[in-house]
Amino acid sequence: MENDQYLEEGFDPQTLSMSAIRGLLVKHSVPYASNLRKPELVALLDKKVLSKASKLRKRASKQKSATADGRDIEKVETKPVGTRTRSQTPRTERTRAR
């Protein structure tokens, strides 16, 4: 799905697959039962996400304008995936009781 296409006026959530609907619910932190059928998922998406579409569009446009010039982007230090740090305490020898 194109970016925030689902937030546009007149969008029909029935056109989405169930996995896409679930993905949008997860994206917007909406809890749902895993056994819901498509009409129930669509109703939940309408109630919890699409009903707030205008507010979400405004928030998205503010974020885009704030990050477009790159000045408001916060840099976060991250460690490369897969690296682990060991504790600084020395290893103690284990003795097995026999």
Side-chain angles (χ1 to χ4, degrees), residues 22-85:
R22 286 188 192 108
L24 290 173
L25 292 172
V26 168
K27 178 180 178 179
H28 292 281
S29 304
V30 177
Y32 64 93
S34 62
N35 61 348
L36 292 180
R37 300 200 186 282
K38 186 170 183 176
E40 297 162 320
L41 287 172
V42 168
L44 189 59
L45 183 69
D46 269 335
K47 181 179 178 182
K48 298 289 185 171
V49 178
L50 300 181
S51 64
K52 302 171 187 166
S54 62
K55 181 190 281 187
L56 293 170
R57 278 194 306 267
K58 287 178 187 176
R59 185 183 311 159
S61 68
K62 283 182 183 178
Q63 288 176 344
K64 285 179 186 175
S65 65
T67 59
D69 61 1
R71 289 185 288 162
D72 294 327
I73 297 174
E74 180 180 331
K75 291 189 178 186
V76 178
E77 294 293 323
T78 59
K79 293 182 180 178
V81 176
T83 61
R84 294 184 181 196
T85 57

